[in-house]
Amino acid sequence: MNNLTIVTKLRFIAAIAPAILLIAAAVIAGAFHAFGALPRELHENEYAAAGAAAGMENALYKMDWGRTQPEASQIVMDQQRGFISEIEIARQHIGSREQAESIEKIANDARPLFDAMRTAPPGDDSFEPKLRDLQGNVADLMSLDDAAVLAVANNAEAQSRTMIAITIAALVAVPWICFVLISSLTGSLYKQLKEMRRRVESMGERAPSASDEARAIDESLTKLGFPKPNPMLAE
């Protein structure tokens, strides 16, 4: 048995739209905040990690070049300090397990290589293969950093598509669905009230001295927009 009156149904449907819109507004506002913070997040994390890897690569190339210069020892030591500094920066912006493993491998391989470079006599190229391997590991880390930037971009694109769907559903579909439901219910209500007015008029014709209850119904129908028909406007 349906105990819900048509008024209850109308109130319920009328409350659905603003409730859903309120939830959607909170979700959309959160999405705008996340998208607004995305450039800063990229700059502070993924781009910083990529910059650190690029700094490592640059330091290695300068070490290789500096060994042939008059102040080779000082140049190599300065670049080694810069390389170690870039490793620490990279550790502060680790975004995945693969990046962490790559950074630690670079750090472990660089330590004995740098010791050998500091003590090697001029013209000693015995550690050249290890230097090339280290450069290859840094290049692999740069690839991982690029992949991390791409992953963030793809995730943002997927979230934007989701937010577009939510916005369309919340701001277009839900209000129209509620409008159609309310129109359907009010259409049925209109027919029922119109039929009530006809029956009240019929009662008045059969019993001119209508009861108080009938007069109350008549007044209620008049307040609801269903007055007694004007003979000049009667359908």
Side-chain angles (χ1 to χ4, degrees):
M1 181 177 179
N2 187 4
N3 294 323
L4 294 178
T5 66
I6 191 168
V7 175
T8 303
K9 292 178 182 179
L10 287 172
R11 288 177 175 173
F12 177 73
I13 295 173
I16 287 177
I20 293 178
L21 290 176
L22 184 63
I23 296 173
V27 174
I28 293 171
F32 280 139
H33 175 73
F35 291 148
L38 183 60
R40 180 182 295 275
E41 179 183 349
L42 280 170
H43 182 268
E44 293 180 352
N45 293 288
E46 282 72 21
Y47 286 163
M56 294 181 208
E57 183 182 51
N58 186 49
L60 289 176
Y61 282 118
K62 286 184 177 180
M63 283 183 217
D64 197 17
W65 165 81
R67 291 188 302 111
T68 62
Q69 303 304 308
E71 299 179 355
S73 177
Q74 186 62 43
I75 293 174
V76 170
M77 289 182 62
D78 290 342
Q79 295 307 316
Q80 288 176 352
R81 283 195 293 267
F83 187 93
I84 294 171
S85 177
E86 297 293 354
I87 286 180
E88 294 304 318
I89 293 175
R91 282 172 172 162
Q92 296 171 9
H93 299 91
I94 292 174
S96 67
R97 179 178 58 81
E98 291 80 6
Q99 286 176 307
E101 293 176 351
S102 180
I103 292 170
E104 292 310 312
K105 178 173 176 53
I106 290 171
N108 293 333
D109 292 347
R111 189 176 297 108
L113 175 61
F114 291 168
D115 292 339
M117 291 178 69
R118 281 194 294 268
T119 59
D124 184 2
D125 293 333
S126 60
F127 49 80
E128 193 71 21
K130 292 184 178 180
L131 180 61
R132 297 291 171 257
D133 290 341
L134 186 58
Q135 289 174 336
N137 292 335
V138 172
D140 292 340
L141 176 60
M142 294 176 70
S143 297
L144 291 174
D145 293 337
D146 291 340
V149 174
L150 184 61
V152 172
N154 290 338
N155 184 53
E157 185 178 354
Q159 289 182 350
S160 68
R161 288 195 295 267
T162 301
M163 293 313 304
I164 290 172
I166 292 175
T167 301
I168 292 175
L171 302 184
V172 179
V174 171
W176 273 104
I177 290 172
C178 292
F179 171 77
V180 170
L181 292 175
I182 291 175
S183 297
S184 176
L185 289 174
T186 53
S188 175
L189 179 61
Y190 176 82
K191 292 178 181 179
Q192 295 296 328
L193 290 172
K194 191 173 181 181
E195 178 63 17
M196 288 174 62
R197 165 53 70 190
R198 188 188 67 78
R199 290 182 178 275
V200 169
E201 291 299 320
S202 177
M203 289 172 55
E205 292 174 0
R206 292 196 302 268
S209 56
S211 64
D212 293 339
E213 289 79 3
R215 284 194 295 273
I217 295 174
D218 183 84
E219 292 176 0
S220 296
L221 289 171
T222 300
K223 292 179 180 179
L224 290 173
F226 291 85
K228 294 179 179 180
N230 187 327
M232 299 296 294
L233 302 175
E235 295 181 0

